[in-house]
Amino acid sequence: MNTKRKIAFGSDHAGIDLKKPIMDYVKSLGFEIHDFGTYDHNRTDYPIYGKKVAEAVAKGEYDLGIIMCGTGIGIGMAANKVPGIRCASVSEPYSAKLSREHNNANILSLGSRVVGPELAKLIVDEFLGTEFIGGRHQRRIDMLTAEDEHNDVKFEEVKNGSEEKYNHYNYNEGKNIL
Ligand code: RB5
């Protein structure tokens, strides 16, 4: 059973017709949901809703987010501007699964003009049902986090590092310690 129970939703006008059935589906699975808008078909701007959901997830008010626009691209870009957010824009279940296992994605972005509700449910099943596996992937997440938290990050190239030695990536006063 996935321990992440509170899911934040958001979309622009183009994503709203996919958002409704997916919110109902996620609710039926027992998750607590909240819709950060938009709430009607009037034309609006996806950065508003990507930012709202991303900030709620980044603050820890929600465990994960699911957002939609026409392609899933614009609203995903908006979400990824918020520090701490790793939003995956995907259109099939395999990438949704790997976005959790390897990338510890905390927001899923879908395109209502790309996937229908039934495919979207399969994608959501993988996203909500898969946990981050850590290990060597943790170091890469730490590198992304360093980019969020510092403005002068320089990455050191590491190839074939052992899991133990390179498990964690530490940022310290502009120098990278691996
Ligand atoms: C709106 O027409 C559309 O551009 C938007 O929903 C999204 O697909 C942008 O990435």
Side-chain angles (χ1 to χ4, degrees):
M1 172 65 75
N2 196 299
T3 54
K4 296 183 168 49
R5 309 305 302 169
K6 291 181 72 177
I7 314 298
F9 279 84
S11 76
D12 70 355
H13 56 290
I16 197 165
D17 286 340
L18 181 62
K19 183 172 63 174
K20 285 177 177 167
I22 297 305
M23 282 197 308
D24 289 346
Y25 178 63
V26 170
K27 200 172 172 186
S28 79
L29 297 176
F31 291 89
E32 183 183 331
I33 65 165
H34 180 73
D35 183 5
F36 282 85
T38 189
Y39 304 112
D40 57 44
H41 287 96
N42 292 314
R43 191 178 303 121
T44 183
D45 303 313
Y46 57 77
I48 299 166
Y49 309 98
K51 184 176 167 73
K52 280 187 183 186
V53 170
E55 287 180 343
V57 172
K59 282 183 202 157
E61 294 168 359
Y62 290 83
D63 296 309
L64 295 170
I66 301 177
I67 55 180
M68 293 89 163
C69 65
T71 59
I73 294 170
I75 200 164
M77 287 178 172
N80 274 322
K81 294 277 183 193
V82 174
I85 292 305
R86 294 175 299 278
C87 175
S89 301
V90 309
S91 53
E92 35 71 33
Y94 177 76
S95 298
K97 179 181 176 68
L98 270 289
S99 79
R100 291 284 306 130
E101 273 191 2
H102 287 199
N103 312 113
N104 201 7
N106 48 17
I107 298 186
L108 170 70
S109 174
L110 298 167
S112 67
R113 295 169 181 160
V114 182
V115 298
E118 297 311 314
L119 177 55
K121 287 176 192 172
L122 297 178
I123 294 169
V124 165
D125 283 343
E126 295 294 349
F127 184 71
L128 296 181
T130 307
E131 293 290 352
F132 178 52
I133 60 175
R136 68 188 186 281
H137 303 292
Q138 182 60 54
R139 176 168 54 90
R140 295 154 187 168
I141 301 307
D142 292 344
M143 293 168 81
L144 295 177
T145 303
E147 289 268 40
D148 278 343
E149 294 178 352
H150 308 277
N151 58 17
D152 58 349
V153 172
K154 295 170 200 66
F155 291 137
E156 183 176 315
E157 193 174 5
V158 175
K159 294 193 174 163
N160 299 319
S162 70
E163 296 272 327
E164 301 74 35
K165 187 171 179 188
Y166 299 115
N167 206 19
H168 291 283
Y169 183 90
N170 299 308
Y171 182 90
N172 185 21
E173 294 174 357
K175 294 194 188 311
N176 301 318
I177 302 163
L178 292 170

